[in-house]
Amino acid sequence: MPKLSRRGWLRRNVIGKCSSARCDGVVLLHGIGVGSWTLKKVDRALQRHGFATLNLDYPSRKKPLEELAEDIHAPVAAFAKQCDGAIHFVAHSMGGLLARVYIARYRPVRLGRVVMLGTPNGGSEVADLLKDLSLYRAVFGPAGSQLSTAQPPVLAALPPPDYAIGVIAGCRTIAPIASAFVLPRPNDGRVSVASAKLADMADHIVVKASHTGLPRNAVAIEQTIAFLHDGRFNPIT
């Protein structure tokens, strides 16, 4: 079983049982300022489709991305040893940036595919607007400043991905002011569709969901599973 970090920051949630001899695993990484509970619905769906899952909590507001990658390494490596198939990543928001940093440093031997839900690969104009405010820095910490459109060194230094990345962006919002006056349209209230895209991504789709709603959106979950299975999204009709 994956070990907790010595300060108890990381928690292993339920690991789904393998439904076949070859067991693929999925590491789930939440966004900034929330926890693994935000990915419970997609976690359960993945388990129903035969994936083993590791839904981690990590101190997203206390450390920069490079240190968070160090924090999650021990449980991810232990989880990978339990699975005899590929190791995929499904990440929401900043979790997608963390996945990219982690893979660059500690790439699993049997790395599979990566699905990003509303990840600000090109940064967020909301972060640009708020990053110099003391309240924003206090609430979101070092990683919050790494979400701006001015790419931080840790992301600028990443090599182009040579693994399959599927990007799911949202186009609905519960933040009308940010959506209308801060972010390029279309957007999900936190991240624009354009910013979610990543050079060399394997596939990209837009679903009718807000930023916080993406991990609970039925279409986004179905498309996540499709990409993990086939390396592409299903056409949306």
Side-chain angles (χ1 to χ4, degrees), residues 4-26:
L4 301 179
S5 69
R6 60 174 178 259
R7 295 188 182 182
W9 279 326
L10 302 174
R11 185 186 70 208
R12 181 192 59 81
N13 284 357
V14 176
I15 296 181
K17 294 182 179 179
C18 298
S19 58
S20 62
R22 181 178 180 275
C23 177
D24 281 6
V26 182

Side-chain angles (χ1 to χ4, degrees), residues 56-210:
L56 286 175
D57 281 316
Y58 61 92
S60 60
R61 300 186 300 171
K62 295 182 178 180
K63 297 184 179 182
L65 291 166
E66 54 270 35
E67 293 184 24
L68 295 174
E70 301 297 321
D71 281 350
I72 69 172
H73 178 50
V76 173
F79 175 66
K81 289 182 180 179
Q82 295 180 338
C83 302
D84 54 8
I87 301 299
H88 308 286
F89 290 78
V90 172
H92 178 230
S93 194
M94 191 193 77
L97 303 180
L98 177 57
R100 290 172 56 197
V101 173
Y102 179 82
I103 291 169
R105 297 187 175 204
Y106 297 110
R107 183 184 182 121
V109 174
R110 300 182 309 279
L111 177 65
R113 301 177 175 123
V114 177
V115 177
M116 297 179 178
L117 301 156
T119 293
N121 286 300
S124 173
E125 288 79 5
V126 174
D128 290 347
L129 181 67
L130 301 176
K131 66 180 181 179
D132 293 327
L133 298 178
S134 57
L135 179 61
Y136 178 84
R137 294 197 302 269
V139 171
F140 293 105
S145 66
Q146 295 177 311
L147 303 181
S148 69
T149 58
Q151 197 171 47
V154 65
L155 296 179
L158 292 177
D162 60 351
Y163 49 92
I165 296 178
V167 172
I168 302 178
C171 63
R172 292 290 184 269
T173 182
I174 55 175
I177 295 176
S179 293
F181 300 108
V182 180
L183 292 163
R185 297 183 184 182
N187 61 73
D188 65 8
R190 301 276 183 85
V191 178
S192 70
V193 169
S195 182
K197 293 180 179 180
L198 183 66
D200 301 313
M201 61 188 175
D203 206 352
H204 172 265
I205 58 167
V206 180
V207 301
K208 296 177 181 178
S210 68

